[in-house]
């Protein structure tokens, strides 16, 4: 399995960016893991603060380093990425877990999202998409390889609607629909003509009311309950 090809030049830091994004990479394939860490180390606003060769080691590294983003392989010896995600979020709830895997199985996708992963990226993505996805994940936005989006929708629709819906305000339901359609906080704020900080507060309220841990889980919930009709 080949690592993503590094860009010819280090990607520029986005205008107005000040903070550095702390990243941990967890993957049992040594060449891939080292290739990814070498690639990301070249990005000006990224700091690689740790790496691990299996899920158990990954949990320890994340608990120690408290990164902004953890890139996590799905199928590893000892403990799966799904179980590692649950443990990581318990030990370091402030980190955002993004799966980086070869699996295109809808069941794997759903299992990871339900475990609390913020994103699901396939290892065939290009380096620019990976870098931008990490930046979005660090801001709390969900990220997903394009080919997985339709699989997500088919999977959650196949499950049908479930229990009674908690009471959400009209604005919260509106934002929830935008979340299900993959909108970032900035995009939602622009579409609804409100401040981005207002969107963040509404997202927090939505997660609390639905008893969820990530906006991806909220998006899945919205589709399951028929709030996000898509073609």
């Amino acid at each position: 399995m080949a690592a993503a090809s590094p860009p010819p030049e280090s990607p520029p830091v986005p205008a107005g960016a000040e903070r550095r994004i702390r990243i941990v990479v967890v993957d049992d394939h040594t060449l891939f893991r080292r290739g990814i860490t070498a690639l990301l180390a070249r990005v000006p606003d990224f700091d690689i603060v740790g790496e691990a060769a299996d899920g158990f080691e990954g949990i320890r590294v994340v608990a120690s380093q408290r990164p902004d983003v953890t890139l996590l392989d799905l199928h590893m010896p000892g403990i799966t990425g799904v179980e590692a995600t649950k443990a990581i979020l318990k030990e370091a709830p402030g980190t955002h877990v993004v799966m980086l895997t070869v699996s295109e199985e809808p069941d794997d996708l759903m299992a990871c999202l339900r475990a609390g992963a913020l994103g699901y990226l396939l290892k065939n993505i290009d380096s620019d998409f990976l870098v931008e996805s990490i930046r979005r994940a660090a801001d709390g936005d969900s990220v997903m390889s394009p080919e997985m989006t339709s699989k997500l929708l088919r999977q959650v629709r196949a499950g049908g609607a479930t229990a009674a819906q908690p009471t959400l305000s009209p604005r919260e339901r509106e934002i929830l629909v935008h979340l299900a359609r993959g909108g970032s906080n900035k995009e939602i704020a622009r579409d609804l003509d409100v401040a981005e900080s207002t969107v963040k507060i509404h997202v927090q309220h939505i997660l609390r009311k639905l008893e969820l841990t990530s906006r991806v889980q909220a998006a899945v919930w919205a589709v399951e309950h028929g709030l996000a009709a898509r073609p």
Side-chain angles (χ1 to χ4, degrees):
M1 184 187 309
S5 300
E9 297 180 358
S10 296
V13 179
E18 295 181 356
R19 72 185 179 105
R20 299 182 65 82
I21 299 172
R22 294 165 51 82
I23 302 167
V24 165
V25 179
V26 184
D27 196 297
D28 63 310
H29 292 91
T30 303
L31 289 178
F32 181 84
R33 185 181 71 252
R34 290 180 177 172
I36 288 294
T37 55
L39 184 155
L40 298 179
R42 299 178 58 196
V43 181
D45 54 327
F46 287 1
D47 283 331
I48 308 301
V49 297
E51 58 178 278
D54 61 59
F56 288 117
E57 183 183 1
I59 295 167
R60 291 192 294 270
V61 172
V62 172
S64 171
Q65 296 298 323
R66 306 281 171 161
D68 300 300
V69 176
T70 298
L71 295 179
L72 184 64
D73 192 15
L74 177 57
H75 297 298
M76 297 180 291
I79 182 174
T80 68
V82 173
E83 294 304 316
T85 296
K86 295 176 183 178
I88 284 171
L89 293 177
K90 182 177 180 181
E91 293 291 333
T95 193
H96 300 301
V97 175
V98 174
M99 311 308 296
L100 188 57
T101 177
V102 298
S103 175
E104 298 186 38
E105 291 299 320
D107 288 344
D108 286 339
L109 168 65
M110 291 299 297
C112 291
L113 298 185
R114 293 194 183 282
L118 189 62
Y120 195 97
L121 301 176
L122 299 178
K123 289 183 176 180
N124 62 3
I125 59 174
D126 64 36
S127 57
D128 289 339
F129 189 88
L130 175 61
V131 168
E132 180 58 27
S133 294
I134 291 172
R135 287 181 178 141
R136 289 190 61 185
D139 287 334
D141 290 337
S142 59
V143 294
M144 192 173 301
S145 288
E147 55 265 55
M148 298 305 295
T149 303
S150 59
K151 294 185 179 184
L152 169 64
L153 294 173
R154 286 198 299 269
Q155 188 77 352
V156 296
R157 282 172 175 161
T162 55
Q165 301 180 14
T167 302
L168 298 175
S169 71
R171 177 63 86 184
E172 288 168 347
R173 292 172 70 88
E174 190 175 19
I175 289 176
L176 187 55
V177 170
H178 280 74
L179 288 179
R181 293 172 179 169
S184 66
N185 287 345
K186 182 178 297 184
E187 292 166 340
I188 296 171
R190 183 190 62 233
D191 291 345
L192 300 183
D193 195 24
V194 298
E196 188 174 348
S197 59
T198 300
V199 175
K200 291 181 180 179
I201 292 172
H202 280 304
V203 171
Q204 292 171 0
H205 290 169
I206 291 168
L207 295 180
R208 176 175 52 79
K209 288 183 178 181
L210 299 183
E211 299 182 349
L212 302 173
T213 60
S214 79
R215 57 196 295 128
V216 175
Q217 291 178 328
V220 170
W221 190 97
V223 177
E224 286 179 329
H225 290 78
L227 298 184
R230 297 181 67 158

